[in-house]
Amino acid sequence: MANDKENLTRRKFLREGLWGACLAGTGTAAGLSIARNNRDNTVWQIDPYKCIACGNCATFCVLENSAVKCVQAYAICGYCDLCTGYLVPEPKALDTGAENELCPTGAIKRTYVEDPYYEYTIDESLCNGCGKCVNGCAAFGNGSLFLQVRHDRCKNCNECAIAAACPSQAFKRVPADQPYLLKKVDAKE
Amino acid sequence: MHRIPRRIDSSLIVAALLIAAVVTGAVSILRLDTTGRSGSGLSEEFAYNLQKLAAVDPDLILYAESGLRVSTGFRQSRAIALDSSGRMYVAGDRAIGVFGAAGNPEKLVELSGEPRSLTVSDDGKIYVGVGDHVEVLSAEGQQVASWNPLGDEAVLTSIAKHKDDVFVADAGHRIVLHYDAAGTLVGHIGAKNPDKNVPGFVIPSPHFDLAVSRDGLLRVVNPGRNRIETYTRDGDLEFAWGERSVDIKGFCGCCNPVSLAIGPDGGFVTAEKGLDRVKVYNSDGGFVGVVAGPAQLGKEGQLKVCNTPEECQGGGLDVAVGMDGRVYVLDVTDNVIRVFAKKEAGR
Ligand code: SF4
Ligand code: SF4
Ligand code: SF4
């Protein structure tokens, strides 16, 4: 009971709720994957608690633009002005100037919410899954940015080229009807 | 002179081509990295490298680790406090561990819930934040009081006592609670109030520390603004110090400093996460030097891999300062206390 209370407290502190928005359309995506490859009705996914954002996801995918993208767990994000996933470690200013942006492809958008909070969203068409922002967020922030295989583009290869190259065994097969391994506020799985 | 036309055997050409193809294939297979061991091949602009920033000028490091290293025995250590005789009190798991000044375990006081913060008063009483309320224990570890619960959202990350005042940092409600020693709530400090020029606390993660200096002024970390704010016991904001920067003099990231303590000379000791650094500032907030950087704390080049959301948000260090000026650093992930003493002049 005491433990339940601890969890509840933590959940409340971390603002439950906005999470669903970040992977909109996952149901459709899962359907597509199943149609493409029915192997055990499973698809590839990254365990966010094992991934060390090594960069291999950006270059080892058989697709020209990797199927792995950065996603945002809004319920965990601190909405920080000084976002270390968005800003270079030594920003000249806390603003959207290109010289201050950490993401080499400009895939992260910063939107003012209210003083002093900002929301960070990923433009997946620009993201190559390099994981630079994931490292920045994990080092100083709450670790709300993480990598996921996006099933609207993944070919669900029998032998995933990234899985073979992953140094931390973060790639695994998951049920196609639950194709994402999300970071949750209150539990690992 | 006649040249004798040489007829090249076509089977030789085919054989040569075959060998060349096999060699080329073998070389490309050997060169093809399917294991990822040769790295991603991404250019430097895609790398997140803190190595350069983690380096601390050795001349700035004014402290050295003493031989004393104490394992807390907890799975999850949370906070450290010292009493006037140098005894160490560590809150962790669902208990408080008490260690003698030499690091010898003295006592384990079981608690009803998970503690996050504690302080020890001059009379030996232990004030501990457990779940949503404060508990007061005698020096022997018997519960003498349990104050009113503060609601499900309360996350009590720091407690300090000065004379008859007890200040409690509640990260969940982003406020400091002011109690008297009997547990009567006197008031709230730090709520956003533009008329009084109080900006409000910005707390992206459950790191929200405070301390009281000998003059009775309350020093509160505003982690989202990377500064330390000074309040009177009536809640008036007097001044703030702290520079937002990755430079050694400043605080960087969204939640730093994660810990604050006040030394016997009135100066401050701070601890940061991300770039794990423990530093000293004078009583005006001027940078004095470094107690330990990432290398001294054994955190250099560590990639953060966490197993639970709380672990991902947590980590970090808690600090306390002894009457002799020694700095006690609690590593909440490695569950160990490291003690640093000022280097002798000339060393
Ligand atoms: S290869 Fe593995 S560790 Fe590297 S970024 Fe991809 S999932 Fe993470
Ligand atoms: S830094 Fe890399 S992983 Fe992050 S949004 Fe940009 S391209 Fe994607
Ligand atoms: S399964 Fe194929 S398409 Fe999908 S991430 Fe792996 S290599 Fe890329």
Side-chain angles (χ1 to χ4, degrees):
Chain A
M1 188 60 209
N3 264 344
D4 288 352
K5 196 159 195 182
E6 287 292 328
N7 286 339
L8 183 67
T9 301
R10 216 162 57 227
R11 272 202 298 276
K12 294 237 174 192
F13 176 71
L14 294 164
R15 288 188 303 281
E16 192 85 87
L18 291 158
W19 174 219
C22 100
L23 287 174
T26 52
T28 327
L32 285 174
S33 300
I34 298 165
R36 268 203 303 266
N37 185 327
N38 219 3
R39 208 195 89 163
D40 303 330
N41 268 355
T42 60
V43 291
W44 289 106
Q45 195 46 270
I46 298 169
D47 182 340
Y49 295 110
K50 285 191 176 162
C51 171
I52 55 167
C54 69
N56 286 357
C57 272
T59 49
F60 279 81
C61 182
V62 297
L63 299 175
E64 194 175 336
N65 191 352
S66 175
V68 172
K69 304 291 172 197
C70 174
V71 298
Q72 166 73 291
Y74 291 105
I76 298 175
C77 180
Y79 292 77
C80 311
D81 185 7
L82 175 50
C83 168
T84 49
Y86 177 78
L87 295 161
V88 292
E90 295 176 280
K92 291 195 173 62
L94 304 188
D95 61 28
T96 53
E99 71 278 16
N100 301 318
E101 280 183 60
L102 182 76
C103 175
T105 66
I108 309 181
K109 303 285 168 253
R110 168 178 157 113
T111 314
Y112 175 75
V113 180
E114 62 171 47
D115 181 48
Y117 300 105
Y118 291 81
E119 185 178 80
Y120 299 92
T121 46
I122 314 298
D123 180 343
E124 291 193 354
S125 65
L126 297 177
C127 174
N128 68 2
C130 74
K132 187 177 187 182
C133 60
V134 176
N135 277 321
C137 179
F140 295 99
N142 286 352
S144 66
L145 296 176
F146 61 104
L147 297 174
Q148 288 282 278
V149 175
R150 295 295 271 126
H151 295 293
D152 53 348
R153 55 204 87 197
C154 176
K155 298 289 175 210
N156 201 16
C157 314
N158 279 336
E159 300 296 332
C160 170
I162 312 176
C166 176
S168 60
Q169 285 77 50
F171 262 75
K172 52 163 104 163
R173 284 211 161 263
V174 297
D177 57 354
Q178 288 171 3
Y180 291 96
L181 292 172
L182 308 182
K183 276 195 169 179
K184 293 180 188 168
V185 172
D186 58 339
K188 187 179 175 192
E189 291 285 323
Chain B
M1 220 168 93
H2 285 288
R3 280 218 183 121
I4 303 168
R6 266 198 279 171
R7 285 192 52 212
I8 301 169
D9 191 339
S10 61
S11 58
L12 273 178
I13 296 177
V14 171
L17 283 174
L18 269 176
I19 291 167
V22 168
V23 169
T24 313
V27 167
S28 30
I29 284 170
L30 284 174
R31 293 190 57 178
L32 186 71
D33 174 26
T34 52
T35 63
R37 277 192 213 108
S38 312
S40 65
L42 284 169
S43 65
E44 192 51 33
E45 67 168 330
F46 288 95
Y48 191 76
N49 195 344
L50 282 180
Q51 219 72 321
K52 202 176 88 199
L53 302 172
V56 176
D57 177 355
D59 289 344
L60 293 176
I61 302 176
L62 309 179
Y63 288 69
E65 189 168 3
S66 75
L68 184 60
R69 224 183 241 207
V70 183
S71 171
T72 67
F74 289 128
R75 200 175 34 85
Q76 173 69 70
S77 304
R78 292 284 193 187
I80 184 168
L82 303 173
D83 70 11
S84 48
S85 64
R87 229 181 250 114
M88 297 166 248
Y89 296 70
V90 180
D93 295 349
R94 295 167 79 87
I96 295 171
V98 184
F99 301 87
N104 48 305
E106 286 189 355
K107 214 171 11 207
L108 188 74
V109 180
E110 304 277 353
L111 297 168
S112 57
E114 291 180 17
R116 270 190 182 266
S117 50
L118 85 167
T119 190
V120 185
S121 65
D122 291 341
D123 60 6
K125 280 197 191 121
I126 307 166
Y127 294 74
V128 52
V130 184
D132 62 357
H133 65 281
V134 173
E135 291 185 7
V136 186
L137 313 176
S138 68
E140 291 72 41
Q142 303 298 318
Q143 191 188 101
V144 294
S146 180
W147 296 358
N148 286 340
L150 294 159
D152 285 342
E153 292 189 30
V155 181
L156 308 184
T157 48
S158 186
I159 303 185
K161 183 171 184 291
H162 179 77
K163 295 185 178 164
D164 197 37
D165 294 319
V166 179
F167 300 98
V168 178
D170 179 349
H173 291 104
R174 298 166 168 78
I175 198 82
V176 173
L177 300 138
H178 178 190
Y179 292 93
D180 68 17
T184 307
L185 187 61
V186 177
H188 293 90
I189 294 174
K192 186 172 181 172
N193 184 343
D195 294 340
K196 290 182 81 179
N197 216 14
V198 177
F201 298 118
V202 180
I203 303 168
S205 64
H207 296 287
F208 183 32
D209 206 0
L210 56 72
V212 186
S213 46
R214 250 188 279 165
D215 54 12
L217 286 173
L218 175 65
R219 318 298 181 128
V220 191
V221 179
N222 197 338
R225 298 185 197 274
N226 298 105
R227 66 182 200 171
I228 286 91
E229 296 172 356
T230 305
Y231 291 87
T232 64
R233 63 191 292 281
D234 300 320
D236 291 324
L237 176 59
E238 297 288 287
F239 56 91
W241 64 270
E243 189 191 329
R244 190 177 247 178
S245 148
V246 288
D247 183 78
I248 192 71
K249 293 178 183 161
F251 303 117
C252 57
C254 68
C255 319
N256 278 320
V258 291
S259 180
L260 173 78
I262 298 177
D265 62 352
F268 300 93
V269 174
T270 60
E272 291 160 72
K273 70 169 187 144
L275 280 177
D276 294 84
R277 316 191 281 204
V278 178
K279 300 182 301 195
V280 187
Y281 294 83
N282 65 26
S283 54
D284 297 325
F287 174 74
V288 175
V290 176
V291 175
Q296 291 71 37
L297 294 163
K299 305 278 185 187
E300 204 172 31
Q302 269 191 8
L303 262 175
K304 189 168 167 181
V305 181
C306 37
N307 293 310
T308 64
E310 197 173 40
E311 244 179 70
C312 300
Q313 292 193 319
L317 311 161
D318 194 24
V319 284
V321 188
M323 304 292 266
D324 57 1
R326 291 202 299 172
V327 176
Y328 294 68
V329 180
L330 173 69
D331 184 327
V332 303
T333 40
D334 290 350
N335 298 301
V336 69
I337 305 166
R338 294 151 169 262
V339 184
F340 293 84
K342 206 158 186 190
K343 288 181 192 166
E344 287 159 30
R347 280 187 61 202

